[in-house]
Amino acid sequence: MASVAGMKSLCGIVAGLLFALLPCSHAAERRTTVSIVGNEFHINGKPTYAERVWNGHKIQGLLLNSRMVQGIFDDLNTNTVAQWAYADTGRWDAERNTREFVAAMPEWRAHGLLAMTLNLQGGSPQGYSSAQPWHNSAIAADGSLRADYLRRLERILNRADELGMVVILGYFYFGQDERVRDEAAVIRATDEATQWILDHGWRNVLIEINNECNVRYDHAILKPDRVPELIERVKKATRDGRRLLVSTSYGGGAIPKENVVRASEFLLLHGNGVSDPKKISDMVRQTRAVPGYRPMPILFNEDDHFDFDKPVNNFTAAVSEHASWGYFDFRMKGEGFGEGYQSVPVNWGLSSERKRGFFKLLGEMTGKGK
């Protein structure tokens, strides 16, 4: 008869084996796979918005999206966290924020939204800000990942997978990247985040190394000259023959440089500061003219211009060039809780005229289809 100690040891070995096998069982349960064929996005082997044409413009293959970067937001700075308090409770609640985010996702999907941008270090909860004293980072100083952030992110990724949606996941955000100690920690965070996604078997995640690599980053490896090094690290990481599709973004109006174009598998543009829709169309054409470009999707995942009731706006201009477009909205001066998706605390519903205007046009373009 085995001793008690021996039985405990055997149980520990079995438990360890089961834990080691867990990612495989996760992978088998996943429902949504994003892929790229030429300049089109596919979900589960079929082009997005299959055969859809709107006002003479091909919608098939686009990945229409919204910037929802605060889905896992928290503030670790006790001196600033109070400013994000919900009016009805008088306090900030990170779990409530993610819970309400997840609850809103089916409505976004019903209007034809297929993708959303999240970031491990969020985005400015004020929309734009010159300084960022708050501490919102899923990445610790040494590059390890914080478990509470990952638990919130896991809930969003799981729900997106169930709904047939894609998450464009950014790793780093300027203004918070200095929370990461040094280049070794940046590399560690990149590797750990990539492995975490692969280990859990998600196939509906696109990677944006950092938001606007040509803006004010502290670490050289996050700047345009060297960010392809991190793109290549993500591309080389595999699990059972799978790997992640990866890119990085530039600031508003900027055209990606050749090194990023050659390394990336899709290209991310931003329309901030571009008020003339014709310039949005020009940006797409200029990007396709960069040396190293080959058939690949071009995707705006940040643009804070609206005019959704007008026949020509930044959204329609991007689509006219067969480029995907992403809605970026924040609470402007004097506006209430219902406005914006980036200002914290967030009302994740279709709670403002701007939000409803975007989703109305999105539904018309897509026929609210897949």
Side-chain angles (χ1 to χ4, degrees):
M1 187 173 182
S3 67
V4 172
M7 289 297 293
K8 287 183 177 178
S9 176
L10 179 60
C11 289
I13 292 171
V14 172
L17 289 172
L18 288 173
F19 182 80
L21 290 171
L22 191 56
C24 296
S25 63
H26 275 312
E29 297 167 0
R30 300 304 177 195
R31 303 179 185 178
T32 302
T33 299
V34 62
S35 59
I36 292 172
V37 179
N39 68 347
E40 293 187 346
F41 287 101
H42 284 217
I43 290 180
N44 295 337
K46 298 180 180 180
T48 59
Y49 312 116
E51 301 182 0
R52 181 68 182 173
V53 174
W54 176 81
N55 283 2
H57 303 307
K58 181 182 177 184
I59 304 301
Q60 175 177 302
L62 298 182
L63 195 64
L64 302 178
N65 63 96
S66 182
R67 181 173 172 82
M68 308 290 201
V69 291
Q70 312 293 24
I72 59 173
F73 179 88
D74 202 359
D75 188 354
L76 308 180
N77 184 346
T78 56
N79 294 320
T80 57
V81 66
Q83 67 186 289
W84 321 123
Y86 289 95
D88 61 347
T89 64
R91 65 184 183 89
W92 165 247
D93 185 339
E95 293 302 314
R96 171 181 173 176
N97 176 60
T98 299
R99 184 171 63 251
E100 292 180 354
F101 183 107
V102 171
M105 290 169 66
E107 185 174 26
W108 307 338
R109 181 65 183 84
H111 284 78
L113 193 76
L114 283 185
M116 67 210 81
T117 295
L118 295 173
N119 195 298
L120 295 180
Q121 296 191 315
S124 170
Q126 297 174 334
Y128 293 97
S129 48
S130 57
Q132 297 187 41
W134 48 84
H135 186 168
N136 174 37
S137 180
I139 304 167
D142 64 358
S144 61
L145 303 181
R146 292 189 166 95
D148 56 338
Y149 276 83
L150 294 185
R151 283 193 296 270
R152 293 193 294 273
L153 179 57
E154 182 174 4
R155 286 153 55 193
I156 293 174
L157 295 181
N158 284 343
R159 190 64 175 128
D161 180 65
E162 293 168 359
L163 291 169
M165 300 180 78
V166 175
V167 172
I168 305 164
L169 180 63
Y171 287 173
F172 301 97
Y173 181 74
F174 64 85
Q176 294 295 312
D177 71 300
E178 60 261 39
R179 306 286 185 186
V180 185
R181 181 182 303 135
D182 52 25
E183 184 168 306
V186 170
I187 292 171
R188 177 182 176 182
T190 299
D191 290 348
E192 288 199 7
T194 301
Q195 296 301 331
W196 181 78
I197 296 163
L198 290 171
D199 285 347
H200 283 76
W202 289 299
R203 304 165 188 263
N204 62 327
V205 181
L206 301 172
I207 301 303
E208 175 185 26
I209 293 293
N210 52 337
N211 177 82
E212 300 185 349
C213 67
N214 61 325
V215 186
R216 55 182 190 275
Y217 280 93
D218 281 20
H219 303 288
I221 200 168
L222 291 171
K223 298 179 181 181
D225 287 347
R226 293 188 57 201
V227 73
E229 296 174 34
L230 296 178
I231 293 174
E232 294 296 341
R233 289 188 76 90
V234 174
K235 287 165 63 175
K236 290 176 182 177
T238 62
R239 181 75 74 257
D240 299 325
R242 296 183 295 108
R243 66 178 183 83
L244 301 176
L245 300 169
V246 56
S247 185
T248 193
S249 65
Y250 281 73
I255 305 302
K257 301 298 184 184
E258 179 179 351
N259 62 338
V260 166
V261 171
R262 291 189 182 279
S264 299
E265 296 165 297
F266 57 97
L267 298 174
L268 293 169
L269 305 181
H270 286 180
N272 315 53
V274 183
S275 57
D276 184 353
K278 291 180 181 179
K279 292 184 178 180
I280 292 291
S281 300
D282 289 342
M283 286 178 66
V284 178
R285 291 192 290 267
Q286 290 169 23
T287 298
R288 290 189 175 124
V290 175
Y293 177 82
R294 64 277 183 200
M296 61 199 302
I298 294 176
L299 186 155
F300 287 84
N301 71 328
E302 183 174 342
D303 192 338
D304 58 355
H305 293 85
F306 315 117
D307 292 330
F308 300 123
D309 57 336
K310 296 182 180 179
V312 178
N313 52 56
N314 285 13
F315 188 179
T316 62
V319 167
S320 73
E321 295 293 329
H322 200 247
S324 304
W325 191 83
Y327 171 58
F328 165 40
D329 191 7
F330 60 97
R331 190 176 303 128
M332 301 176 194
K333 187 175 181 179
E335 292 184 333
F337 174 59
E339 300 287 348
Y341 282 131
Q342 185 154 312
S343 303
V344 180
V346 187
N347 184 326
W348 294 110
L350 276 61
S351 53
S352 72
E353 287 300 316
R354 282 199 303 272
K355 293 176 182 178
R356 289 188 288 271
F358 166 68
F359 279 102
K360 181 177 183 290
L361 181 54
L362 173 69
E364 292 172 359
M365 279 189 182
T366 65
K368 300 183 181 179
K370 298 180 181 180

